[in-house]
Amino acid sequence: MLLFEMLLNSSAVETLNFGLFTGGRISTPTILASTTKYTYSDDTVSAGTNLTTNTNFHGAAGTYDIGLFGGGAVQLNALVTTTYKYTYSGDTIAAGTDLLYARFSMGVTGTPTLALFAGGAINLGGVDPPATANTCKYTYSGDTVSVGTSLSTAVRELAATGTTTTGYFGGGAANNSTIYRTVSKYTYSGDSIVSGTNLTAARVLLSATGTSTVGYFGGGSTLSAGTGYDTTATVYKYTYSGDTVASGTNLTISRYRAIATGSKTIGYFCCGVISSSNYSNASSKYVYSNDTTASGTNLLYAVSGGAAPGSCPASFS
């Protein structure tokens, strides 16, 4: 019996019904600890329990029962290794085990048993923060952390999604002048990394979510920080079987630093930066079955640099 089939017979299946969006900043230097729950069935939003600390540029993964949020920045120049565990039943927050590295703008995905934090930038104070290739594995059972296999290239501001066996890390930047369209595939069994198929064009500050068969990489910027970010609504569909990339339907809004998550049938790309310091709380819904997009309900806060568990639980079933 598949994991999802077993969970259909338990109360944990209720966690399939909403996405949890956390933190981010509403301006410089105002950072939030707030959370917003987006209920998929009726497109309603409500407040969740706040994170313990104001946090932005952090990462997230999770299981059917908990969301795990880690890393990022709590002030303009203060990076952390802190993790928070959000238990959906009861909306409670507890401290997790610290990550091995302090960094921001990393790619995070995982399985029902572990989260993988990969890449990111390791110095928030500089004008061109250096990227890293390091990965850190967080095992939910026992709340342990360990070193994973490094990515092939140091990269920050990337996006991640995947399946129960493989994480897919796409796009991002090496520095203020070089952005990527490459995809790295991380196989959890054996901790091995191989190159995937490149995205159609280079993107930085993009977002990703998906199903058990296809990853959707959306939005971002086609230009580097050194040039000055633009925004795009483009979506690339990465089909895991065959490692093929195709164009999807554009999102309803062009932006970068959006927060992406989803249900088994619909991806949600929310918030982000529309232009310069113009932050959005708007939602774009991407229906997987027919590649259509529509506006969703606005979130409670217009933020840049928030996080949601983007690969769970939709891609586990």
Side-chain angles (χ1 to χ4, degrees), residues 2 54 67 108 111 113 117-118 125 138 145 154 159 163 170 193 234:
L2 295 176
N54 298 342
V108 187
T111 76
T113 60
F117 293 75
Y138 191 110
V145 295
T163 70
I193 291 186
T234 303

Side-chain angles (χ1 to χ4, degrees), residues 1 5 92 99 110 116 120 127 145 153 212 219 245 273 288 308:
M1 184 179 289
E5 292 173 330
T92 58
L99 302 176
L116 185 68
V127 295
V145 295
T153 304
S212 59
V245 174
V273 182
Y288 301 134

Side-chain angles (χ1 to χ4, degrees), residues 196-216:
T197 301
N198 288 351
L199 302 178
T200 307
R203 292 285 186 273
V204 64
L205 301 172
L206 69 171
S207 308
T209 187
T211 71
S212 59
T213 58
V214 181
Y216 294 77

Side-chain angles (χ1 to χ4, degrees), residues 8-166:
L8 282 174
N9 298 315
S10 75
S11 60
V13 72
E14 294 176 1
T15 63
L16 287 168
N17 192 42
F18 66 86
L20 185 68
F21 299 82
T22 68
R25 66 184 186 188
I26 57 174
S27 65
T28 301
T30 305
I31 300 171
L32 300 181
S34 304
T35 66
T36 299
K37 297 169 66 175
Y38 191 116
T39 300
Y40 302 135
S41 58
D42 59 3
D43 289 297
T44 58
V45 297
S46 59
T49 301
N50 286 0
L51 300 180
T52 308
T53 305
N54 298 342
T55 307
N56 74 154
F57 303 148
H58 51 306
T63 73
Y64 286 93
D65 303 304
I66 67 164
L68 179 73
F69 304 90
V74 296
Q75 299 173 18
L76 273 182
N77 299 319
L79 299 182
V80 296
T81 57
T82 308
T83 66
Y84 302 110
K85 297 163 57 181
Y86 191 114
T87 300
Y88 300 135
S89 173
D91 292 295
T92 58
I93 296 271
T97 302
D98 284 358
L99 302 176
L100 299 175
Y101 315 105
R103 54 188 163 179
F104 72 101
S105 294
M106 68 218 88
V108 187
T109 186
T111 76
T113 60
L114 65 86
L116 185 68
F117 293 75
I122 57 177
N123 178 7
L124 189 60
V127 295
D128 192 0
T132 181
N134 292 335
T135 68
C136 179
K137 297 163 58 179
Y138 191 110
T139 302
Y140 299 125
S141 174
D143 292 296
T144 59
V145 295
S146 58
V147 176
T149 301
S150 292
L151 301 177
S152 304
T153 304
V155 59
R156 71 192 197 210
E157 299 156 341
L158 66 164
T161 187
T163 70
T164 56
T165 61
T166 309

Side-chain angles (χ1 to χ4, degrees), residues 114 137 147-149 165 185-193:
L114 65 86
K137 297 163 58 179
V147 176
T149 301
T165 61
K185 298 167 56 178
Y186 191 111
T187 301
Y188 300 121
S189 174
D191 293 293
S192 61
I193 291 186

